Amino acid sequence: MKLTGRRESSNVEDRRGMSTGTKAGVGGIGGIIIIALFTLLQGGNLGDVVSNVVQQGGLGTVQEEQAAGQREFTAEEKELAKFSRIILAGTEDVWTKIFQENGLGEYVSPTLVLFTDQVNSACGSASAAVGPFYCSGDQKLYIDLSFFTQMKSQLGADGDFAYAYVIAHEVGHHVEYLLGTLNKAHQAMGQTDKVNANKISVRLELLADFYAGVWAHHDNEMFGSIEDGDLEEAIDCAKKIGDNYLQEKARGYSQPESFTHGTSAQRMKWLKLGFTTGDIRRGNTFDLSDAQL
């Protein structure tokens, strides 16, 4: 991506060097990638554990503790933090424009929280093992930047646009919140059985993928940010975080009734649709049948 000279968002809380600890809000793209990291590292014997985490998002409670002092960050960590601030700024510019042009009211930007290991949010406390996530309770997205290096080393999902996709996906959940989609979906999930709740979750995640693509479309129009190969990086990432891909990697088979984020084909489809059209009105994952997704 071409990011030279781009502004950095000030809507950032740097909590690195602090630790906290149960369950976070919308796990989004991140949690399922980290689950994949653990399964690929440990082998298929953790298949049942992975299944439980994918389906329930459950994590043990850890104790809160303040680090003795914030360590000096490496050059890579500094660069990733700067990159994240630039991408967040891009989402602010793009979504402000889209909301204005579509008569959606004021776009209220989320806050990006950078953390290490564990963090407290209005949705509860979470380990970095859940990956990047969005919490509608405080309208913040949370990222442990080591996640990006794990993406590269464990999944082979690399490239700055793949990383930007992760951030834009979580911002996509914030857009869902602002438009009322997220709360309606969560209410519906609480009133049905696990299998149908999972189907609703898939629609939320695919919509966030679509919104990530919409952001990339407009970011490129505004700043000329997309270079050759960038879209392919993000699509490859979307493929490797599909529920079927991860479950088959972990244990040799997949269980569609347990899918919470969508198949590789679905995730690639909706990301690409958002990118090619840039039209927020095409994000109709809740209007389609399962077969049409």
Side-chain angles (χ1 to χ4, degrees), residues 84-102:
S84 299
R85 292 192 296 268
I86 291 174
I87 298 302
L88 183 64
T91 67
E92 293 166 352
D93 295 338
V94 165
W95 285 112
T96 295
K97 174 177 178 286
I98 291 175
F99 269 52
Q100 290 175 345
E101 292 179 347
N102 289 273

Side-chain angles (χ1 to χ4, degrees), residues 75-206:
E76 181 183 32
E77 289 171 328
K78 292 178 181 178
E79 188 61 30
L80 284 173
K82 179 179 180 180
F83 171 83
S84 299
R85 292 192 296 268
I86 291 174
I87 298 302
L88 183 64
T91 67
E92 293 166 352
D93 295 338
V94 165
W95 285 112
T96 295
K97 174 177 178 286
I98 291 175
F99 269 52
Q100 290 175 345
E101 292 179 347
N102 289 273
L104 299 175
E106 180 184 3
Y107 177 71
V108 180
S109 302
T111 298
L112 171 64
V113 178
L114 304 178
F115 73 96
T116 305
D117 298 331
Q118 293 91 26
V119 69
N120 267 338
S121 77
C123 298
S125 300
S127 162
V130 305
F133 67 91
Y134 172 72
C135 174
S136 60
D138 53 22
Q139 298 181 46
K140 296 178 180 181
L141 46 142
Y142 295 80
I143 298 178
D144 182 327
L145 293 175
S146 65
F147 170 78
F148 292 125
T149 58
Q150 291 173 318
M151 273 180 60
K152 177 180 179 179
S153 63
Q154 301 302 329
L155 283 184
D158 190 23
D160 49 9
F161 192 47
Y163 300 163
Y165 163 44
V166 171
I167 297 172
H169 173 98
E170 300 307 333
V171 173
H173 285 307
H174 178 64
V175 173
E176 292 174 343
Y177 168 74
L178 293 178
L179 297 180
T181 309
L182 190 63
N183 287 342
K184 289 179 181 178
H186 284 169
Q187 290 173 3
M189 291 168 70
Q191 298 169 357
T192 189
D193 58 53
K194 187 64 178 177
V195 172
N196 283 308
N198 287 345
K199 290 182 178 181
I200 296 172
S201 175
V202 166
R203 293 169 189 273
L204 276 176
E205 298 300 334
L206 295 180

Side-chain angles (χ1 to χ4, degrees), residues 220-242:
N220 187 50
E221 282 192 343
M222 295 172 73
F223 304 108
S225 54
I226 304 301
E227 300 178 295
D228 290 343
D230 279 343
L231 181 59
E232 288 76 13
E233 290 175 359
I235 289 177
D236 180 64
C237 180
K239 173 185 176 181
K240 292 176 178 176
I241 57 175

Side-chain angles (χ1 to χ4, degrees), residues 235-253:
I235 289 177
D236 180 64
C237 180
K239 173 185 176 181
K240 292 176 178 176
I241 57 175
D243 286 323
N244 60 318
Y245 185 97
L246 294 178
Q247 290 187 7
E248 289 164 11
K249 278 284 188 181
R251 52 199 176 188
Y253 64 93

